[in-house]
Amino acid sequence: MNGVRVIRRWRDLPAADRGAAVAFGNFDGVHRGHQQVINDAKRAAETLGAPLGVISFDPHPRRIYQPDAPSFRLMKAEQQARVLAEMGVERLYLLPFDAQIGDMTDREFATKVLSEGLGVRHVAVGFDITFGKGRTGSPELMAEYGAELGFSVSAAEAVGDDGEKYSSTAVRAALREGRTDIAADILGRPFAIQGEVQRGRQLGRKFGYPTANVALDDYVRPRFGVYATRTRLPDGRWQAGVANLGVNPTVGEVAPVLETWLFDFDEDLYGQILETQLIAFLRPEEKFADVEIMNRHVMADAARAREILGVG
């Protein structure tokens, strides 16, 4: 996947998949704080002559322990792998967060998974890492286990702006407020929603602005409304556009969806995978008296999005 070898188990690995210098954490969003931890692992990998790896969990532990919590993910595994590949990561260990791992003490996790299973040579962690049943593990304990089990450990300090540390929680909060600029600053790139284009009611096409509709799935719910967007097409091209993110109350949508009008574009995208960046929040979602009023607003939104994105 995009230059990264994705490994979904920790037992009985071939020699080529063992012995990496790894960054360990959830890394949802791979924000600038996460990037510091990964860069620590990268320096260790270069010093040791080891592959660079990242250890994360799928599903996210929060989904297991808080199954009824609102959707919260900032990226899908495919997006995570692509961003990590751009950072030079060679191995992505997406470990299944199952009952066995969930019930391990911090010592058992370090011993069975990190040392015996993956044979890690270095583990880079963040300043606030926890691991093991009851989240009892800490950077200090990881360092103790590393000294005992034969791998080195580094712990990154908190990084951020104006005294606020970079965190996935802060990204989610910014998105829920429609502050795409703050989210992008923390992430180091615009927040993006990836998914398969679904066939809708084609009302936009009827009115002259065909939309590519993508379900939100388990993504965090950004503020419902209209956004200036950039979309990565399956062939790698980027296309400017404007999107409504929400339930489209004027025409009676129910499930939240991202409906993107790609400017100056008329190709069949049904069934294709798109990734759409939310560049700027334009206005909240509204319920209009009729579709004609809605259409006038859509055209005004499109003009504003073109101006923001610098397209004619």
Side-chain angles (χ1 to χ4, degrees), residues 15-311:
D17 290 335
R18 290 169 48 83
V22 301
F24 169 52
N26 282 313
F27 301 125
D28 187 20
V30 194
H31 58 64
R32 290 165 66 184
H34 295 152
Q35 291 167 32
Q36 176 168 298
V37 178
I38 295 165
N39 284 330
D40 286 349
K42 186 173 186 177
R43 285 189 287 272
E46 292 169 350
T47 299
L48 295 169
L52 173 59
V54 164
I55 299 174
S56 194
F57 295 111
D58 188 31
H60 192 293
R62 182 187 296 187
R63 184 51 65 210
I64 302 300
Y65 292 126
Q66 302 176 39
D68 299 324
S71 299
F72 64 91
R73 295 308 299 260
L74 294 173
M75 55 175 27
K76 293 185 176 180
E78 295 85 353
Q79 293 173 289
Q80 186 181 56
R82 182 166 58 246
V83 172
L84 293 176
E86 292 169 357
M87 296 186 67
V89 174
E90 301 163 84
R91 309 279 187 272
L92 173 55
Y93 300 94
L94 277 181
L95 305 185
F97 195 81
D98 52 19
Q100 183 174 22
I101 283 186
D103 285 340
M104 286 183 181
T105 65
D106 49 47
R107 173 178 287 278
E108 287 173 334
F109 180 81
T111 303
K112 295 180 179 180
V113 177
L114 299 181
S115 179
E116 297 173 2
L118 304 183
V120 298
R121 298 182 63 189
H122 179 88
V123 178
V125 297
F127 71 98
D128 57 353
I129 189 71
T130 60
F131 61 98
K133 186 175 182 179
R135 301 171 66 180
T136 53
S138 64
E140 293 76 19
L141 278 175
M142 184 69 81
E144 290 182 19
Y145 296 143
E148 177 184 328
L149 298 168
F151 56 83
S152 54
V153 174
S154 59
E157 297 180 357
V159 292
D161 292 325
D162 300 323
E164 295 293 326
K165 69 181 179 71
Y166 297 133
S167 70
S168 299
T169 299
V171 176
R172 296 183 191 106
L175 291 170
R176 290 181 179 122
E177 296 172 0
R179 294 301 306 272
T180 57
D181 55 336
I182 294 176
D185 180 63
I186 299 172
L187 290 169
R189 81 195 81 84
F191 169 73
I193 292 171
Q194 178 175 296
E196 180 178 332
V197 178
Q198 302 174 344
R199 191 174 296 275
R201 288 178 287 184
Q202 300 181 298
L203 293 177
R205 181 172 296 277
K206 175 182 176 182
F207 298 122
Y209 48 90
T211 59
N213 300 341
V214 172
L216 296 188
D217 296 330
D218 201 30
Y219 280 106
V220 63
R221 298 300 189 252
R223 185 181 181 186
F224 284 178
V226 179
Y227 291 81
T229 61
R230 289 194 184 94
T231 296
R232 187 202 305 265
L233 301 175
D235 61 8
R237 286 178 292 161
W238 286 94
Q239 198 75 24
V242 66
N244 186 81
L245 190 156
V247 297
N248 202 334
T250 303
V251 296
E253 291 279 357
V254 179
V257 66
L258 181 68
E259 301 175 278
T260 307
W261 174 18
L262 302 178
F263 299 143
D264 311 311
F265 184 86
D266 189 24
E267 299 175 24
D268 184 6
L269 293 173
Y270 290 123
Q272 301 294 307
I273 303 296
L274 303 184
E275 183 182 43
T276 297
Q277 296 178 337
L278 304 186
I279 303 299
F281 182 82
L282 303 183
R283 63 169 173 85
E285 187 173 46
E286 299 179 53
K287 183 173 183 178
F288 299 107
D290 56 50
V291 294
E292 291 184 5
I293 296 175
M294 181 184 73
N295 291 342
R296 288 200 295 271
H297 278 79
V298 170
M299 294 306 167
D301 296 334
R304 189 174 170 205
R306 284 181 180 272
E307 181 179 357
I308 290 171
L309 299 169
V311 296

